Amino acid sequence: MSGRSLRELHDLSGRVALVTGAAGFGFAGEIVEALAEAGASVMLTSRDAVKAEAAAAEFRAHGFAVAGTVMELGEEGSIVAAVAGTVAAFGRLDILVNAAAALCMDAVEAVAIDDFNRTLNANVGGTLAVSRAAAPHLHASGRGAIINLSSIYGVVAPDPRIYGDSGLNSPLVYGASKAAIEQMTRYLAIHWAPTIRVNCIAPGGLSNRQGAEFVERYNYRTPLGRMGAPEDIKGIALYLASDASAWVTGQNFMVDGGWTAW
C-alpha cells in the first residue's frame, strides 16, 4: 500500500475555515458541522451579530471550535473585517465556503431594476469580494480551498409545474446570480491555480416544511424521489475542503437527487 488513507485525506485537523451565511436554516450550517467534525476550526458569519454568536455557541456546546462574526454581503468593509477577524481568532485561513446570499422574490414583470442589480451585486460581487479578501491567506496556506454554493437553478430553469397555482416560482435574479457564481468558480480556479482550488456545489431543493402539494410534485420530478435533507451536503463539502479532492478544481457538483439528469 502507498499514500495516505481515506481517513487521513479527509482530516482537517489544524485547518481553519470561514463559512459565510451559516447562522440560519439551510445547508451552510451542515457544512460548518462537517468541517468541524473533521477537525477544522470554523468562523461562521451572519449579518446579525446575535444570530452569529448564538449559532456558534450551539456548535461549541457540542465540543466544536466554532466562532461567529458579523458580515454584510453587500459591504466590502464588513467582508474584509470578517476575514481579518477569522485570521486574528485562529491564526490562519485554509478554507472558504461562500454560502451567504441575498434574496429578491419579485417576479420578472415586477422586479425593479435597482433591486435586481442590488441582489446581483450582493450575490456575485459579494462572493468575489469575500474570495478576494481571503485569497492571500489561502495562497499562504498551501492547501487553500474555496467552495461556492450555487443552485440547480444556476444550471437549468425552474419547472413552474411544481409550484401549482401558488403563483410562486424561483425568481429570475436568483438563478442569474447563481449561474454567474458557477462561471466565476471556473474563472477563479484557473486564475488562482495551483495554490487555491475553487469548486462549486449546486444543491437541489431543501426540505423545509413546504406544503404537501409542492413536496409531492417536487418528489415526483426528482429521480431519487425526495427533497434534500441538510446532511445531504456534508459529504461533498468535506470532500472539496480536504485533500481527498487535491486534484479537483473548477468543477460544479450537482447534489440534487438527479433533478438535472432529466
Side-chain angles (χ1 to χ4, degrees), residues 161-162 210-222 225-227 259:
R161 295 171 296 182
I162 68 172
Q210 293 94 338
E213 185 178 7
F214 171 86
V215 173
E216 182 179 0
R217 287 172 170 159
Y218 192 99
N219 292 350
Y220 179 77
R221 174 67 173 71
T222 306
R226 65 173 176 87
M227 299 190 74
W259 176 280

Side-chain angles (χ1 to χ4, degrees), residues 144-146 194-199 239-243 245-249:
I146 296 176
T195 51
I196 303 175
R197 297 182 300 105
V198 188
N199 290 289
Y239 170 69
L240 292 175
S242 70
D243 291 348
S245 61
W247 208 38
V248 177
T249 196

Side-chain angles (χ1 to χ4, degrees), residues 104-117 119 171-173:
C104 175
M105 297 303 296
D106 295 334
V108 174
E109 294 80 6
V111 62
I113 294 300
D114 285 348
D115 291 338
F116 186 94
N117 290 339
T119 305
L172 169 64
V173 65

